[in-house]
C-alpha cells in the first residue's frame, strides 16, 4: 500500500510542478508556450482553471503525505536506533546507583591501649 501511495506522491509532485509553471506570472514563465487557450477555458483564459487545479493537486498532495506518514509509522513499530550495536559489542552500562549520603558521624578514635 505504501509503495502505491509513494508512486502517487511522485506523480502529484510532477503534476503540481507543471501546473505552477504553466500559470501566468509577471515574466510569463512557461505559460507563453500554451498558445491561445481563451476559447477553451473561458474569457479569463487558463488562470482560473490552473489556480483551481493547483489547489486541488496541492490538497491531494498533503492528504497523500499524511496517509503515507500514518501507514509507514503503523507498519514499522521499531526504530533504526534500536538495531544499532556498538563496535566492540559491549553492552551499554546502566546509570550507576547513587551512593547513600553519610548520615552518621565518623567513628571516634579508640582509647590508647596500656
Amino acid at each position: 500500500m505504501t509503495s502505491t501511495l509513494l508512486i502517487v506522491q511522485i506523480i502529484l509532485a510532477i503534476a503540481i510542478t507543471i501546473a505552477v509553471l504553466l500559470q501566468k506570472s509577471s515574466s510569463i514563465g512557461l505559460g507563453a508556450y500554451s498558445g491561445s487557450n481563451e476559447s477553451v477555458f473561458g474569457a479569463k483564459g487558463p488562470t482560473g482553471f490552473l489556480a483551481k487545479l493547483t489547489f486541488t493537486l496541492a490538497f491531494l498532495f498533503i492528504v497523500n503525505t499524511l496517509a503515507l506518514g500514518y501507514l509507514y509509522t503503523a507498519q514499522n513499530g521499531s526504530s533504526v536506533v534500536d538495531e544499532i550495536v556498538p563496535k566492540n559489542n559491549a553492552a551499554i552500562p546502566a546509570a550507576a546507583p547513587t551512593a547513600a549520603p553519610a548520615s552518621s558521624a565518623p567513628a571516634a578514635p579508640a582509647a590508647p591501649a596500656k
Side-chain angles (χ1 to χ4, degrees), residues 13-68:
I14 292 170
I16 288 173
T17 305
I18 291 170
V20 168
L21 288 176
L22 285 176
Q23 291 182 16
K24 186 176 181 180
S25 64
S26 60
S27 63
I28 306 252
L30 290 178
Y33 301 116
S34 64
S36 176
N37 292 329
E38 291 184 14
S39 60
V40 176
F41 294 107
K44 288 184 177 180
T47 56
F49 172 74
L50 287 175
K52 289 177 185 176
L53 178 68
T54 305
F55 177 77
T56 305
L57 290 174
F59 180 75
L60 291 174
F61 185 83
I62 291 172
V63 169
N64 195 31
T65 302
L66 293 174
L68 267 172

Side-chain angles (χ1 to χ4, degrees), residues 60-97:
L60 291 174
F61 185 83
I62 291 172
V63 169
N64 195 31
T65 302
L66 293 174
L68 267 172
Y70 176 76
L71 289 176
Y72 184 76
T73 304
Q75 200 174 41
N76 298 327
S78 64
S79 174
V80 175
V81 177
D82 296 338
E83 299 173 8
I84 294 177
V85 177
K87 289 183 181 179
N88 60 1
N89 291 334
I92 298 173

